[in-house]
Amino acid sequence: MVVKKAYDAITQLMYGNASYLSAKVSGSDISPALRERLRDEGQKPIAVILTCSDSRVVPEDIFMCGLGELFVVRVAGNVADEAQIASVVYAVEHLGVPLVMVLGHTHCGAVTAVMEGYEDESLAPLTSQIAEAIEGESDLERACCLNALASVERLREVPELMELEDAGKLTMLAALYHIGSGRIEMLDQQRGTTEA
Ligand SMILES: [Zn+2]
């Protein structure tokens, strides 16, 4: 079951993605009036999106969201290391975001590098986590799914996040973005309970 507020957020995101599939320009609200309102009232994003730095994966466009709607954490390979986890905790605890989506994507270069045995010590913070997640998987798309799911599990190791999810105040899930078609595919069962 999904938290009510998270369900509303998922509905908005998927509606936005449906619009994106046939869009030629971004349709999100980036107006001066909205900028000023967000400055005065602060941000209240509907979701955290932890995704890859890949230039083809742009959450605000994929979900047709404007200023102030998404709290985006981007890192190559959408891994959940200390800084990413801290960013998610900040958004959930201080901004009250009800939904965390780890958004992996097809044809991910970081996952491909790990599958091809690329070894560079400076990339180890990324590749070691991805290698652990994909466990020798030989199919790239399946490996990208496993990698996104593993980041959700890493977030679930954080007591603050787990408590909120168990209390029905937070939903964390994984999804896969298909870079050619633009479609979002949900990957796992959500946890948590439905609010009345
Ligand atoms: Zn990627």
Side-chain angles (χ1 to χ4, degrees):
M1 301 295 279
V2 185
V3 182
K4 171 71 169 67
K5 284 183 183 169
Y7 181 83
D8 292 344
I10 293 168
T11 302
Q12 179 180 333
L13 293 179
M14 296 311 283
Y15 182 82
N17 181 244
S19 301
Y20 168 73
L21 296 181
S22 59
K24 292 200 170 74
V25 293
S26 180
S28 55
D29 188 351
I30 55 170
S31 65
L34 178 58
R35 287 202 293 270
E36 289 175 10
R37 184 164 66 77
L38 290 169
R39 176 198 62 199
D40 295 341
E41 299 177 6
Q43 60 171 324
K44 196 72 179 168
I46 63 167
V48 176
I49 310 292
L50 169 57
T51 193
C52 187
S53 300
D54 192 303
S55 61
R56 299 166 293 183
V57 183
V58 182
E60 289 85 350
D61 288 339
I62 291 168
F63 297 113
M64 299 291 258
C65 284
L67 297 174
E69 291 190 291
L70 298 180
F71 191 97
V72 178
V73 183
R74 290 181 73 171
V75 59
N78 45 265
V79 298
D81 216 336
E82 285 183 10
Q84 292 81 44
I85 289 172
S87 300
V88 172
V89 169
Y90 169 77
V92 169
E93 290 199 330
H94 295 275
L95 303 177
V97 180
L99 173 68
V100 176
M101 176 187 287
V102 176
L103 185 62
H105 69 99
T106 58
H107 304 275
C108 181
V111 175
T112 302
V114 171
M115 291 175 70
E116 293 178 348
Y118 188 78
E119 287 184 21
D120 181 334
E121 199 52 40
S122 61
L123 296 186
L126 301 178
T127 53
S128 61
Q129 203 175 117
I130 296 170
E132 191 179 312
I134 66 177
E135 292 180 333
E137 173 61 54
S138 59
D139 179 84
L140 176 57
E141 187 166 315
R142 276 204 297 272
C144 292
C145 294
L146 289 172
N147 187 46
L149 290 164
S151 287
V152 174
E153 290 311 310
R154 281 182 180 270
L155 293 172
R156 288 194 172 126
E157 291 171 5
V158 180
E160 300 96 306
L161 298 177
M162 267 305 300
E163 284 171 21
L164 286 167
E165 196 173 44
D166 285 343
K169 295 177 178 170
L170 174 68
T171 294
M172 297 189 280
L173 52 79
L176 186 72
Y177 174 65
H178 292 259
I179 63 169
S181 69
R183 292 185 188 282
I184 296 292
E185 177 186 348
M186 292 295 182
L187 291 182
D188 70 344
Q189 291 297 314
Q190 302 83 19
R191 295 165 56 101
T193 54
T194 303
E195 274 182 354

